Structures are given as structure tokens and as C-alpha cells.
Amino acid sequence: MDRVKEAQEIEDDLPDPLEIPDLVPGCMAASKPYGAAPEFQKPLGFPGGLVENWQEKAIEKMAELRGKYRSFRVFLDSCVKCGACTDKCHYFLGTGDPKNMPVARQDLLRQVYRRHFTLAGKYLPWLVGARDLTEEVLDDWYSYFHQCSQCRRCSVFCPYGIDTAEISMAGREIMDSIGKGQKYSNEIIGKVLTIGNNLGLPKKALKATLEDLEEEVLEETGVPVRFPLDEKGAEILLVAPSADYFAEPHIAGLIGYAKVFHQAGVTWTISSHATEAANFGMFIGSYENMREISLRVRHAALDLGVKRIVFGECGHAWRAAYSFLNTLAGPFDFLDQRYPIPQHICEFTYDLIAAGKLTFDKSKNDHIRLTFHDSCNIARGSRLGNKPGGQFDIPRAILRATCNHFHDMPADTIKESTVCCGGGGGLLTDELIEIREKGAQPRMRALQHVAAEHGVTHMAAMCAICKAQFSKVLPMYGFDREAIVSVHQMVSNAIVLERTDGGAVGERDEE
Amino acid sequence: MLTAVYASTFYLAAAVLAGGLAFRTWEYATTPAPLKIPTTPAPTTRTGVAFRLSREVVLFESLFKANKWIWLFGWIFHAALLVVLMRHLRYFTQPVWDWVTLIQPFGVYAGFAMVAGLAGLWARRILVPRIRYISAPSDHLMLALLIGIAVSGLMMKYVAPTDIVAVKSFFLGLMVFHWQPLPADPVLLVHLGLVAALMIVFPFSKLLHAPGLFFSPTRNQVDNPRERRHLANWARALEAGRQ
Ligand code: HEM
Ligand code: SF4
Ligand code: SF4
């Protein structure tokens, strides 16, 4: 009893994860990512450096976006400045910089939009807060549109669903079009298009890695679980984030997928042409680049003659796949229509669990007391399964099936209200570490709550960016960097593999 | 003279309001939403979307999740505004429709509720530093305008009554282009002047949130991207020559 009481008291003393800070104007103005060099701008169709008549060009681009995107027009027109979103952004909560309030972030673009595209802004700019696109404004754009992880938390709470992510994407697209690109995102898009993945991992290295994994799993389990590459005629094409091939805890997740495929008895393959699930074209708001990247998946599926496409654990990649792939690279009439196109690995695993086809030894995860971080793009930009909200229930069902101790974090920080890891949207780069650390504060505080109350030791996530970001920021908040685990790592730990002769691996000793 | 000025102002205001809203609606309706971006979890059917939008319009569902104070003041203001508008139908109908007669007594309370709601919103706009930060002069003016309309209306009820029979014949006359004299009461003139101003600024201001909500892709899209391919016309053009 006393211990429970003590834990409760510790928890009561912890700061509220969503505590609203005082305003500290301009405190993050200096936080900006490195600029993209000309050689990375040009292949994406952007000018190498800031063009001479950039003001004019930016306004032209705005006019273009206004005609191409209803969201742009409706969102910029409709905001009533009610203030409901002002305390919803994790970057605002972590920094107190008022320009990180979603509506204020939108206003950076809206002030220029009003100046050029509205009657009041043209003739009475002071009345409606309209401004010319000055160097100072462009500077603010570059800083603050790169302090938005495009997590969409603000859009949940806005009475008109105004999604600041759409605005920061548009802002980045405008900046790209005048030659002011961000190094991190644009370099990565270049690598995906030329080499096939974000990391620039060549086919030979990938092949070696996969062979090592086969050996490792065989040694550990005694079961020949395969990790096939470029195998024509396989049933399933797996498209996973490239971090799954080399970084911890991502690899453990990849091993989990392979074991599930093994148990399901399906043939599958990775494609060296489309090794990468991530689609950074989304972060920079570029339909064309996003489309190019998506088409690789189509081509890989056609080349290999697969019947199904399954995506690995990655948040924005799943949004790009679930919500956009059919639009950008469809129709997929050449695939097996009995399965969702594309399908998520968690849907795949969950269906097998529901059909009673997987067996787990939960005690294998008894050293873990687990919670789950809903990744923004899965929570608010896509779905799993065939019911709204499946994106919350399915991963939790998988985790509960694989471990004995599961506790959710405070309700206002999970599911549709989940708070971002702080590293999404093209911010996962070293020079932005300050905003990343501060933006992680609400999530880290929520984790402190369940750690105090339920002794939670680990947090699972199903997003490569979340996992990489948490590995970095967990220690800054007093946690172990290995406290972050993949969902399919939990699956991998607990799954009972069948040997080819039909016996279960766990039974080996008793034979 | 006075009658002519007010009559022409109202024709102008009505034309700007109707024309402006029709134009905006057309603009919103014809601008494509090239990608599926509903804020999920989202309904998977059109009926579901209709329900979602209805909840937003009637209950301000998202706002309720966000902030109970803004919701309370905002909802009271809008609900009261609706009742007040319905009550005003008596100036435009002859004979007055039964249900309009029925709600007359509520209309007066609604007037007070409207002022209370607006005052609450204005107080937050001034007192909460976050909301003060995002407010432009136009945001304060809009509240002033609406409060001005409500207060001048209530003054005619309680302080300086006007000849409402004459007012009614003025508006009935306007509608059939057969002008009747408007009483020259200062409060009435202020009230009507502000209403005309509101009608004129409507299509050029943030009041576009009313049509905007129905066109917001995050709220009005069906969550079915895997089942149905969604393609904008300008995006279709990119498909030419594709494998
Ligand atoms: C479909 C109809 C409408 C819907 C769903 C709607 C909804 C909303 C919501 C949710 C807000 C934010 C909360 C608030 O501040 O009150 C708002 C604000 C506002 N609405 Fe509406 N509204 C509608 C029509 C109107 C109309 C017809 C007017 C005026 C004639 C109006 C005037 C305002 C004003 C002035 C604000 C800003 C209040 C402030 O400054 O805080 N609305 N509306
Ligand atoms: S999308 Fe997320 S990061 Fe961007 S403003 Fe909204 S809450 Fe903040
Ligand atoms: S919640 Fe929506 S309408 Fe209100 S201030 Fe924020 S963006 Fe504007």
C-alpha cells in the first residue's frame, strides 16, 4: 500500500506534461537548419541559391499554391484567431516562443498572403496585420517553418481543422522555389532518388547486412528465418524505413517482421530499388518530389512481380503510403485486391493474431514494463485496420499480446492528442538539437508520469524518426537511451517460432 | 433623403454579402484538394462526414476538446446570434410565421446572451497574453462591431424605443422596391448602419470561417484513400506517359 501511495505522491509532484509556459518572444528565432547547397537543390527542380527577384517569385508561387490547394486558401481565409490552438504545439509548450503557437506560425504566411491577396491587406495592412515579404519575414519563415514537425496536433483542436502542417509545407515549398532549401531534407531526397534510400546505403552493403541478420537469427533461435532481397515472384514486397537495416532499436523491429512473415508462411522480399519507406517529399510540401519517390515503390512492385505491398514501422512513411500512395502511384490493379493496398506490418501481424495463428511467450518480455507512443502521422494522418481509430487499438493489441505489463501515458498525451517526439517533419538533424530537445518535453514528462506511477521502463513506437529522436533525447531527460523499443521488437522477443518440422522452438530442450 | 441613403446602403450590402459569399464559395468549391488529408480518426463514409461536420457546426466539437472557456463563450454567442437572427425575421415577413412569433420572447434573452458571449471572448482576447499576441486591430474591431449591433438593438428595446411598425414597413418596402420612410431615431440608425457594415465586410474578412468550415479538407474528406483513388485534375496531367 505504502509504495503505491508513495508513487502517487511522486507522480503528483511531477510537472503537467502540457503545462503552458509564459511567452518568451523571439527565444527560438536563431534556431534554423543548414541551407541546402546548390548541388542538392538543382536535381529536385529548385534554384541553387536565393534568386535575385525572390520576393516577386515567392508571391507568384503563393498565387500558384492558392490555385492548386484548397487547404491553403481555406485555411488562410478562415482562421478567426480564437486562440484554441495556441497551447497545442509541443514546440510552443517546450519553448514559450509565441511564434511556435500554431496560429502565429500560420500568421507568418498569412500576413504576406493578406498583403497581396486580400482587399483589406492591400489597402489597410495595419488593420489586419498584413506585411510585405521582407528579408526579416523570410528569416522568420526559415526559422519557424522548420520548428514545425507537421504533427497535426493543432488541427485536431481547431474548430475548422486548420492544419498548420499544410501551411509549413507550403512555406517550405515557396522557400524551395526561390532557392532557400533545407540541407537535411533535400539531401535525403536526392539520395533516395539516386541510390534508393535515405541513408545512401548501396545494394552490396544491404545484401551483406541481410545475410548477417539471417545468420544471427539462426544462431539465436535455430530457425532459418529469411531476409530476402530482390527476389522475383515473392508474394510480398516489404518497404521499410532504411534505419531498420542498420540502427538500434530499428533492426530488432525488422527481425520481428521477418519472424512474422516466417510464421505466416508467406514469401516476401525487400527491393534494392525501393529500399526506403520514408518520403521526405512530404516534409517539403512538394507534390512532384513526393510523387517521384512514391513511384519507386510502384516500379519495384512491378519489376518483382509481387502481389502485395507491406510497409514497415515508420510514421510519415505510413501517411505517405496509406493516404497518398494510391493517389501518387496508383492504381494498383496489378496487386491482389483481397488485401489492403498498401498494408501496414502491424495490420499484417494483428490479422494473424486475431486468427490465432501466432503464439507468444509473454514472459520473454517480463523485464519490460511498457508504454506506447502514438506517432503523429499514424495517429492523425492515416489509419490502421478497417475502423476509424484502428491506428490506436491495433498496436496496443499487439503489444498487449506480447507483454504482461502495459500502461498508457496520460490520456491528453496519447491517441489523437498524442504529443510529437520532437524530431518529425524534417527536423531530425543535429543542428536543430535544441528545438528537438525542447519539443520532446511534453512527451518526456508524460513518460515520467507512467514511470513514477507504474514503474514503466520502456516505450514502444512504430516510427523510425520517433525511435531515432528518442534514442537521442531520452538521456537528456534522465532515461536510458535504450528505453525506446520497436513494436515488432516486442513481437520478435515473444514470438514462438515453429521449426520446419512443425515443432515449436521453445520445446527444443525437451526433445 | 435618409430613407434613400439607408435603402441604397442595404441594397449594396445585400448584394456584396450575397455576391461575395457566392464568389468565395465558388472559389473554394473549384480549388482542388489534391491529397487526402482528413484529420484522423475520420469517418469512412459520406454520411459519417456529414455527421462530423454537423457536430462541428452545431456543437463546435473540436473547439470543445480544445478549450472549454472559448467554447462556452463562443457557443453562447453563436447560438444567441442564431436566435436573434431568426427573431428578426418578423421584420421581413407579413404575416409573421408562427414559429417566429413563438420565439420572440427568447430573442430578447438571446440579445443579452450574445453580448455576454462576445464580452467573454473580448475579455480573453485582452487578458490572455497568448490570444492578445495573435490579435490584430481587426479582431478587436469585429467584436466591437458585433457588440455595437447587439447593444444598440437592446437599447431600442429598453432605453430608446423606436417605431417598429415603421421599421417593418421600411424593410417590407425594400424587398418589393417600394420604399417607405425610415424613422430618424439615432439608435436605430446606428444599429442599421453597423449591420450593413457587417454584411459588407463579411466576404472580405475572417467571417469566411462560416463557409470555410464546410470546405476544410481536414474535416470534409472521407477516410478511404486505399479504397478509392483520389486525383486532382492538375495532378492527372503529370500522369501522361507514366508506366
Ligand atoms: C456556419 C456557421 C458558423 C460556425 C460553424 C461558426 C463557428 C465559429 C467558431 C467555432 C468560432 C470560434 C470560437 C469563437 O471565438 O467563438 C467562431 C468565431 C467567430 N464567429 Fe463564427 N461561426 C459561424 C457563423 C458566424 C457568423 C454568421 C458570424 C457573424 C455574423 C460569426 C462571427 C464570429 C466571430 C466574430 C468570431 C470571432 C470571435 C472572437 O473574436 O473570438 N460566425 N465561429
Ligand atoms: S503541426 Fe504540430 S508542430 Fe506544427 S504547429 Fe501544429 S502542433 Fe506545432
Ligand atoms: S484554433 Fe484555428 S481558428 Fe482558432 S486561432 Fe487556431 S488556427 Fe485560428
Side-chain angles (χ1 to χ4, degrees):
Chain A
M1 270 317 274
D2 275 358
R3 288 221 356 234
V4 173
K5 223 166 122 193
E6 217 170 274
Q8 188 58 46
E9 272 163 23
I10 295 173
E11 210 225 335
D12 290 345
D13 286 344
L14 288 172
D16 178 353
L18 302 178
E19 186 179 280
I20 304 172
D22 290 334
L23 300 188
V24 192
C27 68
M28 292 309 290
S31 167
K32 43 185 72 174
Y34 297 144
E39 74 258 37
F40 294 111
Q41 284 282 92
K42 294 211 173 111
L44 309 192
F46 306 136
L50 197 60
V51 295
E52 223 169 89
N53 53 345
W54 57 270
Q55 273 123 329
E56 204 182 307
K57 287 280 166 207
I59 304 304
E60 272 172 33
K61 188 73 187 177
M62 256 188 178
E64 180 195 325
L65 294 182
R66 185 168 172 266
K68 281 167 111 174
Y69 289 90
R70 186 193 294 157
S71 52
F72 187 81
R73 197 185 276 252
V74 170
F75 292 168
L76 289 182
D77 278 353
S78 301
C79 172
V80 294
K81 311 295 172 77
C82 70
C85 62
T86 52
D87 58 351
K88 301 298 180 265
C89 179
H90 51 291
Y91 292 120
F92 172 70
L93 296 179
T95 64
D97 189 323
K99 286 181 181 159
N100 277 326
M101 300 190 295
V103 43
R105 197 187 310 285
Q106 299 156 25
D107 276 348
L108 297 175
L109 199 77
R110 189 177 285 116
Q111 59 189 356
V112 179
Y113 171 83
R114 284 195 168 159
R115 183 78 180 99
H116 290 272
F117 299 95
T118 68
L119 208 62
K122 273 184 195 151
Y123 300 106
L124 305 166
W126 54 272
L127 181 66
V128 294
R131 280 181 77 183
D132 283 310
L133 177 52
T134 59
E135 220 156 299
E136 197 189 326
V137 170
L138 181 65
D139 233 35
D140 266 354
W141 282 12
Y142 196 68
S143 291
Y144 293 102
F145 290 143
H146 291 111
Q147 292 180 43
C148 170
S149 57
Q150 305 172 343
C151 76
R152 314 187 93 205
R153 188 164 195 268
C154 45
S155 88
V156 170
F157 296 101
C158 171
Y160 323 111
I162 295 177
D163 181 6
T164 316
E166 290 291 308
I167 301 300
S168 78
M169 288 173 192
R172 294 184 195 180
E173 185 169 22
I174 296 169
M175 288 191 285
D176 270 326
S177 77
I178 58 171
K180 202 170 169 60
Q182 181 217 19
K183 175 172 185 267
Y184 174 67
S185 296
N186 291 4
E187 246 182 68
I188 279 183
I189 294 173
K191 278 188 212 153
V192 164
L193 291 176
T194 51
I195 305 173
N197 55 68
N198 283 5
L199 299 164
L201 203 65
K203 180 171 177 180
K204 246 168 88 184
L206 185 61
K207 180 122 195 102
T209 306
L210 294 175
E211 279 166 7
D212 285 352
L213 281 178
E214 277 183 8
E215 254 169 61
E216 192 183 302
V217 176
L218 181 65
E219 212 164 284
E220 213 173 278
T221 64
V223 179
V225 173
R226 300 205 52 223
F227 290 80
L229 180 66
D230 289 334
E231 283 190 7
K232 286 205 186 228
E235 266 174 87
I236 293 176
L237 169 65
L238 174 76
V239 188
S242 52
D244 281 0
Y245 302 115
F246 91 112
E248 287 298 348
H250 313 246
I251 297 187
L254 176 68
I255 296 174
Y257 319 156
K259 288 183 180 171
V260 170
F261 287 140
H262 175 90
Q263 278 307 99
V266 292
T267 56
W268 65 286
T269 184
I270 293 160
S271 152
S272 60
H273 176 63
T275 337
E276 180 62 65
N279 193 331
F280 279 30
M282 184 171 120
F283 296 158
I284 62 166
S286 164
Y287 190 99
E288 288 78 8
N289 279 292
M290 193 156 73
R291 179 169 171 276
E292 273 316 302
I293 296 170
S294 297
L295 280 172
R296 290 168 322 126
V297 176
R298 178 188 182 84
H299 296 151
L302 283 168
D303 286 348
L304 296 168
V306 297
K307 291 275 154 266
R308 305 166 64 175
I309 300 176
V310 172
F311 272 73
E313 296 182 9
C314 183
H316 86 282
W318 181 240
R319 184 178 182 202
Y322 172 87
S323 295
F324 306 153
L325 192 70
N326 196 8
T327 294
L328 297 168
F332 289 97
D333 37 18
F334 56 90
L335 296 178
D336 189 337
Q337 304 296 316
R338 288 174 302 165
Y339 302 98
I341 306 168
Q343 192 173 26
H344 192 279
I345 186 68
C346 284
E347 294 178 320
F348 187 91
T349 302
Y350 177 75
D351 285 350
L352 290 174
I353 295 176
K357 290 191 182 145
L358 296 182
T359 319
F360 295 107
D361 177 0
K362 290 187 181 190
S363 70
K364 289 277 166 48
N365 279 320
D366 273 351
H367 59 297
I368 288 176
R369 299 181 71 85
L370 193 70
T371 192
F372 177 64
H373 166 78
D374 292 276
S375 297
C376 315
N377 276 296
I378 296 171
R380 294 183 283 255
S382 63
R383 173 162 49 99
L384 295 178
N386 45 23
K387 281 198 287 293
Q391 63 267 45
F392 312 133
D393 303 336
I394 287 177
R396 284 176 174 78
I398 295 175
L399 293 172
R400 285 185 192 277
T402 55
C403 76
N404 283 313
H405 311 288
F406 180 85
H407 301 278
D408 259 321
M409 285 179 278
D412 47 8
T413 69
I414 58 170
K415 301 189 177 174
E416 73 170 352
S417 303
T418 187
V419 280
C420 173
C421 64
L427 271 57
L428 194 74
T429 171
D430 286 344
E431 73 270 23
L432 296 181
I433 192 65
E434 185 188 354
I435 188 75
R436 285 168 53 192
E437 177 184 355
K438 291 180 171 164
Q441 179 185 295
R443 172 49 77 226
M444 290 294 102
R445 286 184 173 177
L447 181 58
Q448 282 161 356
H449 274 260
V450 276
E453 194 180 351
H454 300 291
V456 162
T457 57
H458 289 72
M459 176 165 69
M462 45 194 286
C463 169
I465 290 178
C466 295
K467 292 172 201 171
Q469 158 77 353
F470 284 133
S471 301
K472 192 94 172 193
V473 298
L474 277 166
M476 297 171 172
Y477 287 88
F479 293 101
D480 192 301
R481 76 184 297 271
E482 287 175 15
I484 178 73
V485 295
S486 298
V487 170
H488 274 77
Q489 179 174 357
M490 300 297 289
V491 172
S492 176
N493 291 349
I495 194 167
V496 178
L497 289 178
E498 259 169 51
R499 290 194 317 262
T500 18
D501 61 13
V505 177
E507 298 160 18
R508 187 154 42 162
D509 295 346
E510 289 129 56
E511 277 177 2
Chain B
M1 178 58 197
L2 185 74
T3 303
V5 170
Y6 269 79
S8 15
T9 306
F10 268 96
Y11 284 138
L12 174 77
V16 170
L17 178 66
L21 277 184
F23 178 69
R24 290 292 178 215
T25 308
W26 175 80
E27 263 190 342
Y28 294 159
T30 52
T31 309
L35 293 166
K36 279 282 192 165
I37 58 167
T39 309
T40 57
T44 52
T45 59
R46 284 240 66 95
T47 328
V49 165
F51 272 114
R52 182 184 206 177
L53 280 174
S54 311
R55 291 196 308 272
E56 292 294 356
V57 172
V58 179
L59 306 172
F60 295 6
E61 182 181 43
S62 297
L63 185 60
F64 185 79
K65 288 183 203 164
N67 189 307
K68 301 291 185 278
W69 283 113
I70 306 178
W71 178 83
L72 184 69
F73 293 135
W75 194 85
I76 288 178
F77 153 56
H78 284 84
L81 175 67
L82 181 67
V83 176
V84 167
L85 284 175
M86 295 193 306
R87 177 176 137 94
H88 279 69
L89 284 175
R90 70 169 166 162
Y91 294 102
F92 302 89
T93 50
Q94 183 64 16
V96 177
W97 302 331
D98 283 349
W99 66 269
V100 177
T101 313
L102 216 67
I103 60 165
Q104 289 306 312
F106 303 105
V108 181
Y109 298 116
F112 285 107
M114 189 173 148
V115 175
L118 287 164
L121 289 170
W122 207 352
R124 285 186 61 84
R125 201 171 279 295
I126 294 166
L127 298 176
V128 180
R130 295 191 315 273
I131 308 185
R132 190 165 63 229
Y133 181 91
I134 57 166
S135 302
S138 55
D139 299 310
H140 293 284
L141 267 182
M142 189 61 78
L143 290 169
L145 179 63
L146 285 159
I147 289 186
I149 292 173
V151 169
S152 55
L154 288 168
M155 276 175 69
M156 285 185 283
K157 174 87 189 163
Y158 293 104
V159 185
T162 188
D163 180 355
I164 54 171
V165 178
V167 174
K168 175 157 183 172
S169 57
F170 171 77
F171 278 105
L172 286 174
L174 269 190
M175 296 199 303
V176 294
F177 299 95
H178 180 73
W179 297 355
Q180 304 295 319
L182 181 68
D185 291 319
V187 186
L188 174 68
L189 298 182
V190 168
H191 187 67
L192 294 183
L194 294 177
V195 170
L198 179 72
M199 291 165 72
I200 291 171
V201 298
F202 202 109
F204 303 102
S205 66
K206 66 176 186 179
L207 296 182
L208 288 172
H209 66 286
L213 170 58
F214 297 93
F215 290 98
S216 173
T218 54
R219 291 291 180 268
N220 79 1
Q221 287 185 336
V222 181
D223 175 20
N224 61 356
R226 289 193 288 194
E227 290 77 20
R228 300 190 64 175
R229 184 155 189 241
H230 174 90
L231 199 63
N233 279 329
W234 63 261
R236 196 181 304 275
L238 302 172
E239 308 253 301
R242 198 197 71 180
Q243 189 194 355

